[in-house]
Each structure stands twice: as structure tokens, then as C-alpha cells.
Coordinates of all heavy atoms in Angstrom, one line a residue:
F1 N -46.8 13.3 -67.7 CA -46.7 12.2 -68.6 C -47.6 11.1 -68.2 O -48.2 10.4 -69.1 CB -45.3 11.6 -68.7 CG -44.3 12.5 -69.4 CD1 -43.0 12.5 -69.0 CD2 -44.7 13.4 -70.4 CE1 -42.1 13.4 -69.7 CE2 -43.8 14.2 -71.0 CZ -42.5 14.2 -70.7
F2 N -47.8 10.9 -66.9 CA -48.7 9.9 -66.4 C -50.2 10.2 -66.8 O -50.9 9.4 -67.2 CB -48.6 9.7 -64.9 CG -49.6 8.8 -64.3 CD1 -49.6 7.4 -64.5 CD2 -50.6 9.3 -63.5 CE1 -50.6 6.6 -64.0 CE2 -51.6 8.5 -62.9 CZ -51.6 7.1 -63.2
N3 N -50.6 11.5 -66.5 CA -51.9 11.9 -66.8 C -52.2 11.8 -68.3 O -53.4 11.5 -68.7 CB -52.2 13.3 -66.4 CG -52.4 13.4 -64.9 OD1 -52.8 12.4 -64.2 ND2 -52.2 14.6 -64.3
A4 N -51.2 12.0 -69.2 CA -51.4 11.8 -70.6 C -51.5 10.4 -71.1 O -51.8 10.1 -72.2 CB -50.3 12.6 -71.4
G5 N -51.1 9.4 -70.2 CA -51.1 8.0 -70.5 C -49.9 7.6 -71.2 O -49.8 6.5 -71.8
W6 N -48.8 8.4 -71.2 CA -47.6 8.0 -71.8 C -46.7 7.1 -71.0 O -46.0 6.3 -71.6 CB -46.8 9.3 -72.2 CG -47.4 10.2 -73.1 CD1 -48.4 10.0 -74.0 CD2 -47.1 11.6 -73.3 NE1 -48.8 11.1 -74.7 CE2 -48.0 12.1 -74.3 CE3 -46.2 12.5 -72.7 CZ2 -48.0 13.4 -74.6 CZ3 -46.2 13.8 -73.1 CH2 -47.1 14.3 -74.0
I7 N -46.7 7.2 -69.7 CA -46.0 6.3 -68.9 C -46.9 5.8 -67.7 O -47.9 6.5 -67.4 CB -44.7 6.9 -68.3 CG1 -45.0 8.1 -67.5 CG2 -43.7 7.3 -69.5 CD1 -43.7 8.7 -66.8
G8 N -46.5 4.8 -67.1 CA -47.2 4.2 -65.9 C -46.9 5.0 -64.7 O -46.0 5.8 -64.6
G9 N -47.8 4.8 -63.7 CA -47.6 5.5 -62.4 C -46.3 5.1 -61.7 O -45.6 6.0 -61.1
G10 N -45.9 3.9 -61.8 CA -44.6 3.5 -61.1 C -43.4 4.1 -61.8 O -42.5 4.5 -61.2
D11 N -43.5 4.2 -63.2 CA -42.4 4.8 -63.9 C -42.3 6.3 -63.6 O -41.2 6.9 -63.5 CB -42.6 4.6 -65.4 CG -42.5 3.2 -65.8 OD1 -41.8 2.4 -65.1 OD2 -43.0 2.8 -66.9
A12 N -43.5 7.0 -63.4 CA -43.5 8.4 -63.1 C -42.9 8.6 -61.7 O -42.1 9.6 -61.5 CB -44.9 8.9 -63.2
K13 N -43.2 7.8 -60.8 CA -42.6 7.9 -59.4 C -41.1 7.6 -59.4 O -40.4 8.3 -58.7 CB -43.3 7.0 -58.4 CG -44.8 7.4 -58.1 CD -45.4 6.5 -57.1 CE -46.5 5.7 -57.8 NZ -47.2 4.8 -57.0
L14 N -40.7 6.6 -60.2 CA -39.3 6.3 -60.2 C -38.5 7.4 -60.9 O -37.4 7.8 -60.4 CB -39.1 5.0 -61.0 CG -37.6 4.6 -61.2 CD1 -37.0 4.3 -59.8 CD2 -37.5 3.3 -62.1
A15 N -39.0 8.0 -62.0 CA -38.3 9.1 -62.6 C -38.2 10.3 -61.7 O -37.2 11.0 -61.6 CB -39.0 9.5 -63.9
A16 N -39.3 10.6 -61.0 CA -39.3 11.8 -60.1 C -38.4 11.6 -58.9 O -37.6 12.5 -58.6 CB -40.7 12.1 -59.6
S17 N -38.4 10.5 -58.3 CA -37.5 10.2 -57.2 C -36.1 10.1 -57.6 O -35.2 10.6 -56.9 CB -37.9 9.0 -56.4 OG -37.8 7.8 -57.2
T18 N -35.8 9.6 -58.7 CA -34.4 9.5 -59.2 C -33.9 10.9 -59.6 O -32.7 11.2 -59.3 CB -34.3 8.6 -60.5 OG1 -34.9 7.3 -60.1 CG2 -32.9 8.4 -60.9
A19 N -34.7 11.7 -60.2 CA -34.3 13.1 -60.5 C -34.0 13.9 -59.2 O -33.0 14.6 -59.1 CB -35.4 13.8 -61.2
L20 N -34.8 13.7 -58.1 CA -34.5 14.3 -56.9 C -33.2 13.8 -56.3 O -32.4 14.5 -55.7 CB -35.6 14.1 -55.9 CG -36.9 14.9 -56.1 CD1 -38.0 14.5 -55.2 CD2 -36.6 16.4 -56.0
W21 N -33.0 12.5 -56.4 CA -31.8 11.9 -55.8 C -30.5 12.3 -56.6 O -29.5 12.6 -55.9 CB -31.9 10.3 -56.0 CG -30.8 9.5 -55.6 CD1 -30.1 9.5 -54.4 CD2 -30.2 8.5 -56.4 NE1 -29.1 8.6 -54.4 CE2 -29.1 7.9 -55.6 CE3 -30.4 8.0 -57.7 CZ2 -28.3 6.9 -56.1 CZ3 -29.6 7.0 -58.1 CH2 -28.6 6.5 -57.4
L22 N -30.6 12.4 -57.9 CA -29.4 12.8 -58.7 C -29.1 14.3 -58.5 O -27.9 14.7 -58.6 CB -29.6 12.5 -60.1 CG -29.7 11.0 -60.5 CD1 -30.0 10.9 -62.0 CD2 -28.4 10.3 -60.2
G23 N -30.1 15.1 -58.3 CA -29.9 16.6 -58.2 C -30.1 17.3 -59.5 O -30.3 16.7 -60.6
F24 N -30.2 18.6 -59.4 CA -30.5 19.4 -60.6 C -29.4 19.4 -61.7 O -29.7 19.5 -62.9 CB -30.8 20.9 -60.2 CG -31.4 21.7 -61.3 CD1 -32.6 21.5 -61.8 CD2 -30.6 22.7 -61.9 CE1 -33.1 22.2 -62.8 CE2 -31.1 23.4 -62.9 CZ -32.4 23.2 -63.4
G25 N -28.2 19.4 -61.3 CA -27.0 19.4 -62.2 C -27.1 18.4 -63.3 O -27.1 18.8 -64.5
P26 N -27.1 17.1 -63.0 CA -27.1 16.1 -64.0 C -28.5 15.7 -64.5 O -28.7 14.7 -65.2 CB -26.4 14.9 -63.4 CG -26.8 15.1 -61.9 CD -26.8 16.6 -61.7
L27 N -29.5 16.5 -64.2 CA -30.9 16.2 -64.6 C -31.1 16.0 -66.1 O -31.7 15.1 -66.6 CB -31.9 17.2 -64.0 CG -33.4 16.9 -64.3 CD1 -33.8 15.6 -63.7 CD2 -34.2 18.0 -63.7
M28 N -30.6 17.0 -66.9 CA -30.7 16.9 -68.3 C -30.0 15.7 -68.9 O -30.5 15.0 -69.8 CB -30.3 18.2 -69.0 CG -31.2 19.3 -68.8 SD -32.9 19.0 -69.1 CE -32.9 18.8 -70.9
E29 N -28.8 15.4 -68.4 CA -28.1 14.2 -68.8 C -28.8 12.9 -68.5 O -28.9 12.0 -69.3 CB -26.7 14.2 -68.1 CG -25.8 13.0 -68.5 CD -24.5 12.9 -67.8 OE1 -24.2 13.8 -67.0 OE2 -23.8 12.0 -68.1
Y30 N -29.5 12.9 -67.3 CA -30.3 11.8 -66.9 C -31.5 11.6 -67.8 O -31.7 10.5 -68.3 CB -30.8 11.9 -65.5 CG -31.8 11.0 -65.1 CD1 -31.6 9.6 -65.0 CD2 -33.1 11.4 -64.8 CE1 -32.6 8.7 -64.6 CE2 -34.1 10.5 -64.4 CZ -33.8 9.1 -64.3 OH -34.8 8.3 -64.0
L31 N -32.2 12.7 -68.1 CA -33.4 12.6 -69.0 C -33.0 12.2 -70.4 O -33.7 11.3 -71.0 CB -34.1 13.9 -69.0 CG -34.8 14.3 -67.6 CD1 -35.4 15.7 -67.7 CD2 -35.8 13.2 -67.2
L32 N -31.9 12.7 -70.9 CA -31.5 12.3 -72.3 C -31.0 10.9 -72.3 O -31.4 10.1 -73.2 CB -30.3 13.3 -72.7 CG -29.8 13.0 -74.1 CD1 -30.8 13.2 -75.2 CD2 -28.5 13.8 -74.4
T33 N -30.3 10.5 -71.3 CA -29.8 9.1 -71.3 C -31.0 8.1 -71.1 O -31.0 7.1 -71.8 CB -28.8 8.9 -70.1 OG1 -27.8 9.8 -70.2 CG2 -28.2 7.5 -70.1
A34 N -31.9 8.5 -70.3 CA -33.1 7.6 -70.1 C -33.9 7.5 -71.4 O -34.5 6.5 -71.8 CB -34.0 8.2 -69.0
S35 N -34.0 8.6 -72.1 CA -34.7 8.6 -73.4 C -34.0 7.7 -74.4 O -34.7 7.0 -75.2 CB -34.8 10.1 -74.0 OG -35.5 10.9 -73.1
I36 N -32.7 7.8 -74.5 CA -32.0 6.9 -75.4 C -32.1 5.5 -75.0 O -32.4 4.6 -75.9 CB -30.5 7.4 -75.5 CG1 -30.4 8.7 -76.1 CG2 -29.6 6.3 -76.2 CD1 -29.0 9.4 -76.0
F37 N -31.9 5.2 -73.8 CA -32.0 3.8 -73.3 C -33.5 3.3 -73.5 O -33.7 2.1 -73.9 CB -31.7 3.7 -71.8 CG -30.2 3.7 -71.5 CD1 -29.7 3.8 -70.2 CD2 -29.3 3.7 -72.6 CE1 -28.4 3.9 -70.0 CE2 -27.9 3.7 -72.3 CZ -27.5 3.8 -71.0
G38 N -34.5 4.2 -73.3 CA -35.9 3.8 -73.5 C -36.2 3.5 -74.9 O -36.9 2.6 -75.2
G39 N -35.6 4.3 -75.8 CA -35.8 4.1 -77.2 C -35.2 2.7 -77.7 O -35.9 2.0 -78.4
V40 N -34.0 2.5 -77.2 CA -33.4 1.2 -77.6 C -34.2 0.0 -77.0 O -34.4 -1.0 -77.6 CB -31.9 1.2 -77.1 CG1 -31.3 -0.2 -77.2 CG2 -31.1 2.2 -77.8
L41 N -34.6 0.2 -75.7 CA -35.4 -0.9 -75.1 C -36.7 -1.1 -75.8 O -37.1 -2.3 -76.1 CB -35.7 -0.5 -73.6 CG -36.6 -1.4 -72.9 CD1 -35.9 -2.8 -72.6 CD2 -37.0 -0.8 -71.5
T42 N -37.4 0.0 -76.2 CA -38.6 -0.2 -77.0 C -38.4 -0.9 -78.3 O -39.2 -1.7 -78.7 CB -39.2 1.2 -77.2 OG1 -39.5 1.8 -75.9 CG2 -40.6 1.1 -77.9
L43 N -37.4 -0.5 -79.0 CA -37.1 -1.2 -80.3 C -36.8 -2.6 -80.1 O -37.3 -3.5 -80.9 CB -35.9 -0.5 -81.0 CG -36.2 0.9 -81.6 CD1 -34.9 1.5 -82.1 CD2 -37.3 0.9 -82.6
F44 N -36.0 -3.0 -79.1 CA -35.7 -4.4 -78.8 C -37.0 -5.1 -78.5 O -37.2 -6.3 -79.0 CB -34.8 -4.4 -77.6 CG -34.5 -5.8 -77.1 CD1 -33.7 -6.7 -77.8 CD2 -35.1 -6.3 -75.9 CE1 -33.5 -8.0 -77.4 CE2 -34.9 -7.6 -75.5 CZ -34.0 -8.4 -76.2
I45 N -37.9 -4.6 -77.6 CA -39.1 -5.3 -77.3 C -40.1 -5.4 -78.5 O -40.7 -6.4 -78.6 CB -39.8 -4.6 -76.1 CG1 -38.9 -4.9 -74.8 CG2 -41.2 -5.1 -75.9 CD1 -39.4 -4.2 -73.6
M46 N -40.1 -4.4 -79.3 CA -40.9 -4.5 -80.5 C -40.5 -5.6 -81.4 O -41.3 -6.4 -82.0 CB -40.9 -3.1 -81.3 CG -41.7 -2.0 -80.6 SD -41.6 -0.4 -81.4 CE -42.1 -0.7 -83.0
R47 N -39.2 -5.7 -81.6 CA -38.6 -6.8 -82.4 C -38.9 -8.2 -81.7 O -39.2 -9.1 -82.4 CB -37.1 -6.6 -82.5 CG -36.4 -7.6 -83.3 CD -36.8 -7.6 -84.8 NE -36.1 -8.6 -85.5 CZ -36.7 -9.4 -86.4 NH1 -37.9 -9.2 -86.7 NH2 -36.0 -10.3 -87.0
F48 N -38.7 -8.2 -80.4 CA -39.0 -9.5 -79.6 C -40.5 -9.9 -79.8 O -40.7 -11.1 -80.0 CB -38.7 -9.2 -78.2 CG -39.1 -10.3 -77.2 CD1 -38.4 -11.5 -77.3 CD2 -40.1 -10.2 -76.3 CE1 -38.7 -12.6 -76.4 CE2 -40.5 -11.2 -75.5 CZ -39.8 -12.4 -75.5
R49 N -41.4 -9.0 -79.9 CA -42.8 -9.3 -80.1 C -43.1 -9.7 -81.5 O -44.2 -10.4 -81.7 CB -43.6 -8.1 -79.7 CG -43.6 -7.8 -78.2 CD -44.4 -6.6 -77.8 NE -44.3 -6.5 -76.3 CZ -44.7 -5.4 -75.7 NH1 -45.1 -4.3 -76.3 NH2 -44.6 -5.3 -74.4
L50 N -42.3 -9.4 -82.4 CA -42.6 -9.9 -83.8 C -42.1 -11.3 -84.0 O -42.7 -12.0 -84.9 CB -41.8 -9.0 -84.8 CG -42.4 -7.5 -85.0 CD1 -41.5 -6.7 -85.9 CD2 -43.8 -7.5 -85.5
M51 N -41.2 -11.8 -83.2 CA -40.7 -13.2 -83.4 C -41.6 -14.1 -82.5 O -42.2 -13.6 -81.6 CB -39.3 -13.2 -82.8 CG -38.3 -12.3 -83.5 SD -36.6 -12.4 -82.9 CE -36.7 -12.8 -81.3
P52 N -41.7 -15.4 -82.9 CA -42.4 -16.3 -82.1 C -41.6 -16.5 -80.7 O -40.4 -16.4 -80.7 CB -42.4 -17.6 -82.8 CG -41.5 -17.4 -84.0 CD -41.1 -16.0 -84.1
L53 N -42.4 -16.7 -79.7 CA -41.8 -16.9 -78.4 C -41.0 -18.1 -78.3 O -41.5 -19.2 -78.7 CB -42.9 -16.9 -77.3 CG -42.5 -16.8 -75.9 CD1 -41.8 -15.5 -75.6 CD2 -43.6 -16.9 -74.9
P54 N -39.7 -18.1 -78.0 CA -38.8 -19.3 -78.0 C -39.4 -20.3 -77.0 O -40.1 -20.0 -76.0 CB -37.5 -18.7 -77.4 CG -37.5 -17.3 -77.7 CD -38.9 -16.9 -77.6
A55 N -39.2 -21.6 -77.4 CA -39.7 -22.7 -76.6 C -39.3 -22.7 -75.2 O -40.1 -23.0 -74.3 CB -39.3 -24.0 -77.3
V56 N -38.1 -22.2 -74.9 CA -37.6 -22.2 -73.5 C -38.3 -21.2 -72.7 O -38.4 -21.3 -71.4 CB -36.0 -21.9 -73.5 CG1 -35.7 -20.5 -73.9 CG2 -35.4 -22.3 -72.2
L57 N -39.0 -20.2 -73.3 CA -39.7 -19.2 -72.6 C -41.2 -19.5 -72.5 O -42.0 -18.8 -71.8 CB -39.5 -17.8 -73.2 CG -38.0 -17.3 -73.1 CD1 -37.9 -15.9 -73.7 CD2 -37.6 -17.2 -71.6
Q58 N -41.7 -20.5 -73.2 CA -43.1 -20.9 -73.2 C -43.4 -21.3 -71.7 O -42.7 -22.0 -71.1 CB -43.3 -22.1 -74.1 CG -43.1 -21.8 -75.6 CD -44.3 -20.9 -76.1 OE1 -45.3 -20.8 -75.6 NE2 -44.0 -20.3 -77.3
G59 N -44.5 -20.8 -71.3 CA -44.9 -21.1 -69.9 C -44.4 -20.2 -68.9 O -44.9 -20.2 -67.7
Q60 N -43.4 -19.3 -69.2 CA -42.9 -18.4 -68.3 C -43.8 -17.1 -68.3 O -43.9 -16.5 -69.3 CB -41.5 -17.9 -68.6 CG -40.5 -19.0 -68.6 CD -40.1 -19.5 -67.2 OE1 -40.2 -18.7 -66.3 NE2 -39.8 -20.7 -67.0
E61 N -44.5 -16.9 -67.2 CA -45.5 -15.8 -67.2 C -44.9 -14.5 -67.6 O -45.5 -13.7 -68.3 CB -46.2 -15.8 -65.8 CG -47.3 -14.8 -65.8 CD -48.0 -14.8 -64.5 OE1 -48.0 -15.8 -63.7 OE2 -48.7 -13.7 -64.2
W62 N -43.8 -14.1 -67.0 CA -43.2 -12.8 -67.3 C -42.9 -12.7 -68.8 O -43.0 -11.6 -69.4 CB -41.9 -12.6 -66.5 CG -40.8 -13.5 -66.8 CD1 -40.5 -14.7 -66.2 CD2 -39.8 -13.3 -67.8 NE1 -39.4 -15.2 -66.8 CE2 -38.9 -14.4 -67.8 CE3 -39.5 -12.2 -68.7 CZ2 -37.8 -14.5 -68.6 CZ3 -38.4 -12.4 -69.6 CH2 -37.6 -13.5 -69.5
A63 N -42.4 -13.7 -69.4 CA -42.0 -13.7 -70.9 C -43.3 -13.6 -71.7 O -43.3 -12.8 -72.7 CB -41.2 -14.9 -71.2
M64 N -44.3 -14.3 -71.4 CA -45.5 -14.3 -72.1 C -46.2 -12.9 -72.0 O -46.7 -12.4 -73.0 CB -46.5 -15.4 -71.7 CG -45.9 -16.8 -72.0 SD -46.9 -18.2 -71.5 CE -48.3 -17.7 -70.7
R65 N -46.1 -12.3 -70.8 CA -46.7 -11.0 -70.6 C -45.9 -9.9 -71.4 O -46.5 -9.0 -72.0 CB -46.7 -10.6 -69.1 CG -47.4 -9.4 -68.8 CD -47.6 -9.2 -67.3 NE -46.3 -9.2 -66.6 CZ -46.0 -10.1 -65.6 NH1 -46.9 -11.1 -65.3 NH2 -44.8 -10.1 -65.0
L66 N -44.6 -10.0 -71.4 CA -43.7 -9.1 -72.2 C -43.9 -9.3 -73.7 O -43.8 -8.3 -74.4 CB -42.3 -9.4 -71.8 CG -41.3 -8.4 -72.4 CD1 -41.5 -7.0 -71.8 CD2 -39.9 -8.8 -72.0
H67 N -44.3 -10.5 -74.1 CA -44.4 -10.8 -75.5 C -45.8 -10.3 -76.1 O -45.9 -10.2 -77.3 CB -44.3 -12.3 -75.7 CG -44.0 -12.7 -77.1 ND1 -45.0 -13.1 -78.0 CD2 -42.8 -12.6 -77.9 CE1 -44.5 -13.4 -79.1 NE2 -43.2 -13.1 -79.1
R68 N -46.7 -10.0 -75.2 CA -48.0 -9.6 -75.7 C -47.9 -8.3 -76.4 O -47.3 -7.3 -75.9 CB -49.0 -9.4 -74.5 CG -49.5 -10.7 -74.0 CD -50.6 -10.6 -72.9 NE -51.2 -9.3 -72.9 CZ -51.6 -8.7 -71.8 NH1 -51.3 -9.2 -70.6 NH2 -52.2 -7.5 -71.8
V69 N -48.6 -8.2 -77.5 CA -48.5 -6.9 -78.4 C -49.2 -5.8 -77.7 O -48.8 -4.6 -77.8 CB -49.1 -7.2 -79.8 CG1 -49.1 -6.0 -80.6 CG2 -48.4 -8.3 -80.5
D70 N -50.3 -6.0 -76.9 CA -51.0 -5.0 -76.3 C -50.4 -4.5 -74.9 O -50.9 -3.6 -74.3 CB -52.5 -5.4 -76.1 CG -52.6 -6.6 -75.2 OD1 -51.7 -7.3 -75.0 OD2 -53.7 -6.8 -74.7
A71 N -49.3 -5.1 -74.5 CA -48.7 -4.8 -73.2 C -47.8 -3.6 -73.4 O -47.3 -3.3 -74.5 CB -47.9 -6.0 -72.7
G72 N -47.5 -2.9 -72.4 CA -46.6 -1.7 -72.4 C -45.1 -2.1 -72.4 O -44.8 -3.3 -72.3
V73 N -44.3 -1.2 -72.3 CA -42.8 -1.4 -72.3 C -42.4 -1.1 -70.8 O -42.8 0.0 -70.3 CB -42.1 -0.4 -73.3 CG1 -40.6 -0.6 -73.1 CG2 -42.5 -0.8 -74.7
P74 N -41.7 -2.0 -70.2 CA -41.2 -1.7 -68.8 C -40.1 -0.7 -68.8 O -38.9 -1.0 -68.7 CB -40.7 -3.1 -68.4 CG -40.3 -3.8 -69.6 CD -41.2 -3.3 -70.7
Y75 N -40.5 0.6 -68.8 CA -39.6 1.7 -69.0 C -38.8 1.9 -67.7 O -37.7 2.6 -67.8 CB -40.4 3.0 -69.3 CG -39.6 4.0 -70.1 CD1 -39.5 3.9 -71.4 CD2 -39.1 5.1 -69.4 CE1 -38.8 4.8 -72.2 CE2 -38.4 6.0 -70.2 CZ -38.2 5.9 -71.5 OH -37.5 6.8 -72.2
G76 N -39.1 1.3 -66.6 CA -38.3 1.4 -65.4 C -36.9 0.9 -65.6 O -36.0 1.3 -65.0
I77 N -36.8 -0.1 -66.5 CA -35.4 -0.6 -66.8 C -34.6 0.5 -67.4 O -33.4 0.7 -67.0 CB -35.6 -1.8 -67.8 CG1 -36.3 -2.9 -67.2 CG2 -34.2 -2.3 -68.3 CD1 -36.7 -4.0 -68.1
A78 N -35.1 1.3 -68.3 CA -34.3 2.4 -68.9 C -34.0 3.5 -67.9 O -32.9 4.0 -67.9 CB -35.1 2.9 -70.1
L79 N -35.0 3.8 -67.0 CA -34.8 4.8 -66.0 C -33.7 4.4 -65.0 O -32.8 5.2 -64.7 CB -36.1 5.0 -65.3 CG -37.2 5.6 -66.1 CD1 -38.5 5.7 -65.3 CD2 -36.9 7.0 -66.6
A80 N -33.7 3.1 -64.6 CA -32.7 2.6 -63.7 C -31.3 2.6 -64.3 O -30.3 3.0 -63.7 CB -33.1 1.2 -63.2
A81 N -31.2 2.1 -65.6 CA -29.9 2.1 -66.3 C -29.4 3.5 -66.5 O -28.2 3.7 -66.3 CB -30.1 1.4 -67.6
A82 N -30.3 4.5 -66.8 CA -29.8 5.9 -66.9 C -29.3 6.4 -65.6 O -28.3 7.1 -65.6 CB -30.9 6.7 -67.5
A83 N -30.0 6.1 -64.5 CA -29.5 6.6 -63.2 C -28.2 6.0 -62.8 O -27.3 6.7 -62.3 CB -30.6 6.2 -62.1
I84 N -28.0 4.7 -63.1 CA -26.7 4.1 -62.8 C -25.6 4.7 -63.7 O -24.4 4.9 -63.3 CB -26.7 2.6 -63.0 CG1 -27.6 2.0 -61.9 CG2 -25.4 2.0 -63.0 CD1 -28.0 0.5 -62.1
T85 N -25.9 5.1 -64.9 CA -24.9 5.7 -65.8 C -24.6 7.1 -65.4 O -23.4 7.5 -65.5 CB -25.5 5.7 -67.3 OG1 -25.8 4.4 -67.6 CG2 -24.5 6.3 -68.3
V86 N -25.5 7.9 -65.0 CA -25.3 9.3 -64.6 C -24.8 9.5 -63.2 O -24.1 10.4 -62.9 CB -26.6 10.1 -64.8 CG1 -26.5 11.5 -64.3 CG2 -27.0 10.0 -66.3
Y87 N -25.1 8.5 -62.3 CA -24.7 8.7 -60.9 C -23.2 9.0 -60.6 O -23.0 9.9 -59.8 CB -25.1 7.4 -60.1 CG -24.9 7.5 -58.6 CD1 -25.7 8.4 -57.9 CD2 -24.0 6.8 -58.0 CE1 -25.5 8.6 -56.6 CE2 -23.8 6.9 -56.6 CZ -24.6 7.8 -55.9 OH -24.4 7.9 -54.6
P88 N -22.3 8.5 -61.4 CA -20.9 8.9 -61.1 C -20.6 10.4 -61.3 O -19.6 10.9 -60.8 CB -20.1 8.1 -62.1 CG -20.9 6.9 -62.3 CD -22.3 7.4 -62.3
H89 N -21.5 11.1 -62.0 CA -21.3 12.5 -62.3 C -22.0 13.4 -61.3 O -22.1 14.6 -61.5 CB -21.8 12.9 -63.7 CG -21.2 12.0 -64.8 ND1 -21.9 11.6 -65.9 CD2 -20.0 11.4 -64.9 CE1 -21.1 10.8 -66.6 NE2 -20.0 10.6 -66.0
T90 N -22.5 12.9 -60.3 CA -23.3 13.7 -59.3 C -22.4 14.2 -58.2 O -21.2 13.8 -58.0 CB -24.4 12.8 -58.6 OG1 -23.8 11.7 -57.9 CG2 -25.3 12.3 -59.7
I91 N -23.0 15.1 -57.4 CA -22.2 15.7 -56.3 C -21.9 14.7 -55.2 O -21.0 14.9 -54.4 CB -22.9 16.9 -55.7 CG1 -24.3 16.5 -55.1 CG2 -23.1 18.0 -56.7 CD1 -25.0 17.6 -54.3
W92 N -22.6 13.6 -55.2 CA -22.4 12.5 -54.2 C -21.2 11.7 -54.5 O -20.6 11.2 -53.6 CB -23.6 11.6 -54.2 CG -24.9 12.3 -54.1 CD1 -25.9 12.3 -55.1 CD2 -25.4 13.0 -53.0 NE1 -27.0 13.1 -54.6 CE2 -26.7 13.5 -53.3 CE3 -25.0 13.3 -51.7 CZ2 -27.5 14.2 -52.5 CZ3 -25.7 14.0 -50.8 CH2 -27.0 14.5 -51.2
M93 N -20.7 11.7 -55.7 CA -19.6 10.9 -56.1 C -18.3 11.7 -56.3 O -17.2 11.2 -56.2 CB -19.8 10.1 -57.3 CG -20.9 9.0 -57.2 SD -20.6 7.8 -55.9 CE -19.3 6.8 -56.8
K94 N -18.4 13.0 -56.6 CA -17.3 13.8 -56.8 C -16.3 13.9 -55.6 O -15.1 13.8 -55.8 CB -17.7 15.2 -57.2 CG -18.2 15.2 -58.7 CD -18.5 16.6 -59.1 CE -19.1 16.5 -60.6 NZ -19.5 17.7 -61.1
P95 N -16.8 13.9 -54.4 CA -15.8 14.0 -53.3 C -15.0 12.7 -53.2 O -13.9 12.7 -52.6 CB -16.7 14.1 -52.0 CG -17.9 14.7 -52.5 CD -18.1 14.2 -53.9
L96 N -15.4 11.6 -53.7 CA -14.7 10.3 -53.7 C -13.6 10.3 -54.8 O -12.8 9.4 -54.8 CB -15.7 9.1 -53.8 CG -16.7 9.0 -52.8 CD1 -17.7 7.9 -53.1 CD2 -16.1 8.8 -51.4
G97 N -13.7 11.2 -55.7 CA -12.7 11.2 -56.8 C -12.9 10.1 -57.8 O -12.0 9.7 -58.5
L98 N -14.1 9.6 -57.9 CA -14.4 8.5 -58.9 C -14.8 9.1 -60.2 O -15.6 9.7 -60.5 CB -15.4 7.6 -58.3 CG -14.9 6.9 -57.0 CD1 -16.0 6.0 -56.4 CD2 -13.7 6.0 -57.3

């Protein structure tokens, strides 16, 4: 995905390391959850970019960078949220009975 230019290098590393951490069992659940969260995040950011930047966020570098139309989507947020969502279903948590 990185070589095709679909995701950034950091996102590719985060997805790969998270997949190793979660294990093979919940991998498909993780990828599906990350895709859903990523789609919702992308729609939210696209909508955010169509609106004028709120006055309270004017001058905030992170908000101005996120608001730029030519900027990418910080997909790491979706990857992290998916990992937190799937983690209770892993072999690491089952012995705890959670």
C-alpha cells in the first residue's frame, strides 16, 4: 500500500506492527474495523475541510495543516482505534477472562 502511494510510511509500519501484536486470529477483524474507522474518519475530515476553519482554531498549526485540501488523512488514528477495539479478543486478554 505504501509503494502504491495509498498510505504513508508511518501508517504502513503501524499497521504491520499492530497486526503482529494482535496475532493472526483477529487479523481480519482488525483490518475490517480499521477500514470502517478509516472511512468514517475520512468522511469527517472531508466535511471538516469544506467548512471554514473555526476562529478558535485559527493560528493552530495542526488544525490548519489538517484543514488543507491537499493534505492526507491521518489514518494512524483509525489504525489505533481499531487495535484498541480488537485487542480484547486476542489471546493476550482471554486468560484474564475479560
